[in-house]
Amino acid sequence: MSESGIIISKKALRKQVSDRLKHISLDSIKTQSTLITETVRSLPIYKNATNVGMYMHMDVPESPRKRGSIVEVQTDVMIRNALLDGKRLFLPRIVPLFSLKEDQRELMSASHQTFLPSQILKMIHVPDEESVRSLKVEDTEFHKFSLKEPSDGADAFDFNGLDLLIVPGLGFTIDGKRLGRGKGFYDNFIKLHRKWSANCNKKMPELIGISLQQQIIDQNSLELPMEEHDEIIDTIIVEDKVYSSRS
């Protein structure tokens, strides 16, 4: 499939998944999120992890809602568990590329042969529940979603990198393909971490995608085409089911 064909196909898939998510009830989102949270907590890779990257889910109104693209697995309890379990927690913030440290900008340049993004995701250390509760929606200069973000501070690379990263998405396949929301923030962060890990002789973090049933793309009926920059996720969790892309 040509590059333009992939872009068109992804756009159509985003609309299909978004339309599906417009109608999922809040009760279903909460029930599925609870099961996913319990499953994550039971994984050996989670139990053995010290530095854990997660995300703050977006608040959504009851169905039917205007936009399905804001629907995702709720992570508030997962974040609380991580802090209770003694994990060092990191949450995302979108920042201009120029705000990265010089060595990180150089790594970004090395991993992008054609162009550099103007904005980048940083995983910022959030030390406790009070810090989580104080997070606010920043202005939308750098992104269109209403995201609660930590203020700029020490990031994951200041703490020897991540051991595990919980990755959001609009859609997933059970073999590890991910349909993002089109901005490339997580793909670019993963590439940056891979370069950093290689330079420091560190292991890459385990990438775990968490998905509602309604976000799963059945490849028997729909194809999720991959572009060169798209990252494969190691593990996909749907309720209490765990799928590995390595099997």
Side-chain angles (χ1 to χ4, degrees):
M1 186 182 296
S2 67
E3 183 177 349
S4 61
I6 291 175
I7 292 171
I8 292 170
S9 181
K10 279 187 170 181
K11 185 176 181 180
L13 270 177
R14 287 191 182 99
K15 184 178 187 309
Q16 288 185 45
V17 176
S18 294
D19 287 347
R20 196 186 306 164
L21 293 172
K22 286 180 181 179
H23 303 287
I24 179 175
S25 70
L26 286 180
D27 283 344
S28 179
I29 295 171
K30 290 176 182 177
T31 298
Q32 292 187 62
S33 297
T34 296
L35 280 170
I36 290 166
T37 296
E38 293 170 352
T39 303
V40 168
R41 203 178 195 185
S42 72
L43 294 176
I45 186 65
Y46 170 83
K47 293 179 180 179
N48 293 329
T50 299
N51 293 346
V52 176
M54 295 185 173
Y55 68 90
M56 292 287 290
H57 70 266
M58 291 179 278
D59 294 328
V60 298
E62 184 53 276
S63 63
R65 52 190 67 88
K66 290 183 179 179
R67 283 198 301 162
S69 60
I70 63 173
V71 175
E72 56 193 353
V73 175
Q74 296 179 341
T75 55
D76 48 345
V77 178
M78 191 181 298
I79 286 170
R80 192 178 311 126
N81 287 348
L83 292 168
L84 289 172
D85 294 339
K87 308 300 182 188
R88 190 179 285 127
L89 174 69
F90 297 85
L91 295 175
R93 177 179 175 84
I94 306 303
V95 300
L97 181 67
F98 64 74
S99 69
L100 290 184
K101 295 177 182 178
E102 183 178 357
D103 61 332
Q104 293 178 21
R105 291 200 304 272
E106 290 175 355
L107 289 175
M108 281 294 294
S109 297
S111 62
H112 288 71
Q113 301 300 321
T114 54
F115 71 95
L116 281 173
S118 60
Q119 302 144 20
I120 187 71
L121 182 150
K122 289 179 70 174
M123 297 301 293
I124 304 295
H125 181 223
V126 180
D128 49 40
E129 274 199 74
E130 180 58 36
S131 300
V132 174
R133 285 192 293 268
S134 68
L135 298 182
K136 297 178 181 179
V137 177
E138 303 285 350
D139 65 56
T140 55
E141 178 183 358
F142 296 117
H143 51 75
K144 65 179 181 179
F145 299 106
S146 298
L147 302 172
K148 293 179 180 178
E149 297 180 314
S151 58
D152 206 6
D155 70 16
F157 300 118
D158 296 320
F159 289 89
N160 221 23
L162 295 177
D163 302 311
L164 182 153
L165 176 61
I166 301 294
V167 184
L170 182 58
F172 297 91
T173 66
I174 61 173
D175 62 351
K177 295 179 182 178
R178 172 179 171 271
L179 179 66
R181 294 180 172 87
K183 298 297 183 181
F185 291 131
Y186 276 87
D187 288 323
N188 287 330
F189 175 78
I190 292 167
K191 283 178 173 56
L192 174 59
H193 205 305
R194 181 173 287 109
K195 283 286 186 181
W196 179 90
S197 296
N199 276 14
C200 298
N201 197 26
K202 301 287 185 181
K203 186 178 178 182
M204 267 292 287
E206 182 80 6
L207 306 177
I208 297 182
I210 53 177
S211 176
L212 302 169
Q213 288 182 338
Q214 292 82 356
Q215 292 179 286
I216 291 296
I217 298 167
D218 181 2
Q219 294 203 104
N220 291 323
S221 55
L222 295 169
E223 180 187 1
L224 173 51
M226 299 291 285
E227 296 176 86
E228 186 178 352
H229 63 263
D230 291 329
E231 294 284 342
I232 296 293
I233 306 303
D234 300 315
T235 301
I236 305 295
I237 297 178
V238 187
E239 295 189 340
D240 59 351
K241 298 178 179 62
V242 180
Y243 302 96
S244 173
S245 64
R246 301 187 184 99
S247 58

